[in-house]
Amino acid sequence: MPTPSPTAPCPCGLPADYASCCGRFHSGAQQAPTAELLMRSRFSAFAVGDTAYLMRSWHSTTRPGRLELDPDQRWVRLEILGSERGGLFETEGAVEFRAHYREGGHTGSLHENSSFAREDGAWVYVGPLSPVVFD
């Protein structure tokens, strides 16, 4: 999947272009300062097919050995349902979200409450806090 144009709307849903929103995290120019922004940048990485960023932003104790994205699945919209902690001066947090996708002419969503932590000073995804639900 090609990287979006720097001026294209960011897939995470914030009112900003890709380059100044999640693109700056994907490129490594900056680190996400909060757990919610890391969650948004991970959604955008799924949307643009950036597996390298997904692996870099995954906690070392839960990161899979490899990651292959389904080329027929398109992540199209993110809803942040809530967050707990995960701020600038915190070391742990949680973000509840619903991620919408299209696959094979069908639509669906994934609902997850995710755990995040700082590792070596950077926010990383740890894993789900409860079972992931596909609708």
Side-chain angles (χ1 to χ4, degrees):
M1 199 175 284
T3 301
S5 160
T7 59
C10 192
C12 81
L14 289 177
D17 60 61
Y18 174 73
S20 63
C21 195
C22 293
R24 62 193 164 134
F25 306 136
H26 295 174
S27 71
Q30 294 181 14
Q31 291 183 353
T34 66
E36 181 179 325
L37 284 175
L38 181 73
M39 176 58 240
R40 288 180 176 280
S41 69
R42 285 181 56 83
F43 173 84
S44 290
F46 275 104
V48 303
D50 189 343
T51 56
Y53 179 77
L54 290 166
M55 295 297 277
R56 280 194 321 271
S57 62
W58 212 313
H59 197 279
S60 63
T61 63
T62 58
R63 181 185 311 128
R66 65 184 188 147
L67 178 64
E68 293 182 33
L69 301 180
D70 183 343
D72 295 327
Q73 193 172 50
R74 299 285 181 248
W75 295 96
V76 295
R77 185 168 57 92
L78 176 66
E79 292 176 81
I80 299 295
L81 304 174
S83 62
E84 199 173 303
R85 300 176 319 280
L88 294 172
F89 304 108
E90 296 174 295
T91 58
E92 295 180 342
V95 179
E96 183 179 6
F97 67 92
R98 182 170 286 114
H100 299 267
Y101 63 90
R102 281 193 305 250
E103 184 174 19
H106 302 285
T107 60
S109 66
L110 174 151
H111 179 203
E112 183 176 330
N113 191 9
S114 299
S115 173
F116 295 86
R118 288 195 190 261
E119 185 172 57
D120 298 326
W123 281 108
V124 290
Y125 170 74
V126 177
L129 290 168
S130 56
V132 176
V133 177
F134 282 90
D135 298 323

